[in-house]
């Protein structure tokens, strides 16, 4: 369990973005909240790809998409289900960027 601490912390930050941050958004701030959560998902997936040495990090995009689904029932309507696909794609792109950054930073001559 100790070897997954970084992944757990990053995933908890992601859950915070999905479930706590919409509580502070007003009724007209919906689109801004979606953009904020997408950017946070991108940044967190880059972080997890850069700092994690465990293979479980490759499950992060799917876990992010699945973790978003219950928030649709709490904060949004059924038209927001499509955002789970966006979070999956954005976190996969973030993982790719993070892996490239990791390879560049740890490249040896």
């Amino acid at each position: 369990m100790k070897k997954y601490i970084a992944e757990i912390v990053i995933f908890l930050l992601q859950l915070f973005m999905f479930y706590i941050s919409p509580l502070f958004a007003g009724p007209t701030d919906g689109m801004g909240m979606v953009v904020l959560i997408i950017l946070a998902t991108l940044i967190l997936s880059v972080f997890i790809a850069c700092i994690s040495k465990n293979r479980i990090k490759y499950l992060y995009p799917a876990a992010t998409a699945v973790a978003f689904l219950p928030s649709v029932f709490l904060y949004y309507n059924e038209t927001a289900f499509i955002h789970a696909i966006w979070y999956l794609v954005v976190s996969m792109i973030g993982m790719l960027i993070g892996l490239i950054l990791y390879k560049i930073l740890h490249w040896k001559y």
Side-chain angles (χ1 to χ4, degrees), residues 32-84:
M33 183 60 60
V34 169
V35 171
L36 176 69
I37 293 174
I38 286 176
L39 287 175
T41 301
L42 180 70
I43 291 168
L44 290 173
S45 59
V46 169
F47 282 157
I48 201 166
C50 285
I51 65 172
S52 177
K53 293 179 176 55
N54 300 316
R55 289 189 172 258
I56 197 160
K57 70 182 174 185
Y58 297 112
L59 295 175
Y60 183 76
T64 300
V66 170
F68 174 74
L69 293 176
S71 72
V72 171
F73 298 111
L74 294 174
Y75 300 113
Y76 312 109
N77 56 21
E78 64 274 353
T79 61
F81 277 119
I82 193 72
H83 292 299

